Amino acid sequence: MNPNQISIAEVPCLLFEPAGRPIGTVILYHGWGSSMESYQFFASLIVGWGYKVVVPELLHHGQRGKLDYADPEVLEKQFLEIVLQGVKEARSIVDELSAAAGRIGIVGHSAGGFIAAGSFAKHSSLQAAVVINGSCAWLRFEEKYLEYMGKTPLTPEERTTLKAHDPLSQITFENERALLLLHGKEDTTVPIDSQRHFMSNMSQISPEQLHMIEYSGVNHHITLKMLEQSKLWLDRHIGDQQAL
């Protein structure tokens, strides 16, 4: 399947169209150090499920520049900027797609999972989200990361700034919006702690709208079982609605 390279809201994207009428639209975000081209296989799976798929390019990735992704200092300085820019751009992408896209879902892995979580929290027009090995509790994640790395804790001002964007304090589930978290228990890149923290703070939300699956023996990877659960979630919360 050959995607079309397009620009949506001035963001380079790959567009994948299903053979028949789309049952919905999925925005798919790649991770840190990756690119939209490297997610063509993932996107082709989703389009095979019947969805139109848009894969945006992250800031400082692929066609939008390069970084030394393996440098911890680069990660610390650039990660949040890239995530926040992705969340901001997602709103513009959704706005441009909305007229003809039907119901829209968002999926992301790793840094893309952070963006999917932040976008779902801020953009109520997103009906469903799947966060794979990402985080929906950014403040908790950052605090644990700094502690693990032996870095200086966040200042009160930094905590306030981060909390203003943290999905944990922003997310809502009105109109039957639905969020699925998929995470490897042995993830050493984005440890599972912050996702468990998020779930413990959202215990009042029904499992039909918020669900988390933990995978034993899985590090920072996307597994076939994760893909299977992603399809089931999207079909339940986006695809099935087309018949109503």
Side-chain angles (χ1 to χ4, degrees), residues 14-145:
L14 293 180
L15 174 65
F16 296 76
E17 298 269 12
R21 179 174 177 267
I23 59 176
T25 299
V26 174
I27 304 172
L28 174 63
Y29 275 93
H30 66 78
W32 176 264
S34 189
S35 67
M36 61 183 184
E37 281 85 2
S38 67
Y39 266 47
Q40 288 193 61
F41 178 71
F42 195 170
S44 69
L45 291 176
I46 300 175
V47 80
W49 303 340
Y51 298 92
K52 177 190 294 186
V53 183
V54 174
V55 187
E57 189 83 276
L58 297 190
L59 182 67
H60 303 314
H61 286 72
Q63 297 181 13
R64 302 179 71 183
K66 302 290 182 184
L67 296 171
D68 184 355
Y69 305 110
D71 186 337
E73 290 190 6
V74 172
L75 178 65
E76 290 178 26
K77 292 179 180 178
Q78 300 287 343
F79 183 81
L80 187 58
E81 175 195 357
I82 290 170
V83 167
L84 292 178
Q85 182 66 21
V87 172
K88 179 180 178 181
E89 291 172 351
R91 175 184 287 277
S92 299
I93 291 171
V94 169
D95 286 346
E96 285 206 18
L97 291 174
S98 289
R103 293 164 73 90
I104 303 176
I106 189 167
V107 179
H109 173 252
S110 191
F114 280 73
I115 293 171
S119 300
F120 186 74
K122 286 186 175 291
H123 312 327
S124 60
S125 54
L126 290 168
Q127 184 62 32
V130 181
V131 175
I132 305 173
N133 297 329
S135 178
C136 301
W138 296 356
L139 182 57
R140 173 77 169 204
F141 172 81
E142 185 67 11
E143 288 175 335
K144 288 292 185 179
Y145 174 80

Side-chain angles (χ1 to χ4, degrees), residues 199-211:
M199 291 298 294
S200 70
N201 281 270
M202 293 287 167
S203 58
Q204 76 279 12
I205 306 300
S206 73
E208 287 76 23
Q209 289 184 270
L210 175 62
H211 187 55

